[in-house]
Amino acid sequence: MIEESINDVLFSEKVIAERIERLVEEMAKDNRCKKIVMIGILRGSFMFFADLVRALYHHGIHPIIEFTTMESYSGTESRGVVKVLKEFTTDITGADVIVVDDILDTGRTLDFAIKHLMERGAASVKTCVLLDKPERRILPLQADYVGFKIDDHFVIGYGLDYDGAYRELPYIARLTPKT
Ligand code: IMP
Ligand code: MG
């Protein structure tokens, strides 16, 4: 196993919570009168998703909650092919969907997710990510709601993993291999 170390904390629990509150104000304003289905892409989005829907509740937004499991990564490298490992069951025909992911990197996952949700009959699909690494983009995609833009670092914590580890950290940090 590669030894690695957690370097700088990029976003503390407090900073994340404050940013989510602002993000949710924006989302609540745009989606007030709609019947929303929120779909979290597992596993990376689980912590962000839970904090988002709790904050949305306090703004009077009560979405239907769904999850799908998709994968495009192995270690710190994007494999380029997105796979649905677990489908969702809710009928989204005619629904306004907000799809939530941990991070927008090459854009492959969200691009695939948007097409997939439209094929399943969504009336509209908006995207929400906690982190955005614009430098790494391969497909021309912008998320509707972005928590933080970051430089091209591999990050862990708050749902994000390195080979399955570190998802439980309540903050976001950079991961660098030990030399
Ligand atoms: P994309 O399909 O390349 O945009 O990648 C999105 C997915 O890659 C996310 O759902 C993450 O699971 C994973 N990913 C991208 N960058 C990182 C990172 O810095 N740390 C952990 N996972 C990442
Ligand atoms: Mg992921």
Side-chain angles (χ1 to χ4, degrees), residues 142-163:
Q142 280 184 15
D144 296 292
Y145 306 102
V146 174
F148 304 100
K149 282 202 161 87
I150 61 169
D151 294 335
D152 183 11
H153 308 302
F154 194 81
V155 292
I156 48 160
Y158 198 72
L160 292 127
D161 72 308
Y162 171 67
D163 260 358

Side-chain angles (χ1 to χ4, degrees), residues 41-45 70-72 101-103 109 161 167:
I41 301 181
L42 293 175
R43 286 165 280 175
S45 74
M70 292 185 183
E71 202 178 61
S72 71
D101 205 358
D102 49 0
I103 187 164
T109 305
D161 72 308
R167 291 193 198 276

Side-chain angles (χ1 to χ4, degrees), residues 103-116:
I103 187 164
L104 176 53
D105 186 35
T106 65
R108 287 185 182 116
T109 305
L110 273 190
D111 181 72
F112 175 86
I114 293 166
K115 288 178 182 144
H116 187 65

Side-chain angles (χ1 to χ4, degrees), residues 54-88:
R54 270 182 290 202
L56 282 167
Y57 167 84
H58 292 295
H59 288 268
I61 306 285
H62 307 285
I64 303 289
I65 305 294
E66 254 297 2
F67 294 99
T68 179
T69 307
M70 292 185 183
E71 202 178 61
S72 71
Y73 250 69
S74 165
T76 58
E77 283 308 310
S78 176
R79 278 199 297 259
V81 180
V82 183
K83 283 191 300 189
V84 180
L85 300 184
K86 196 165 182 289
E87 264 298 359
F88 59 90

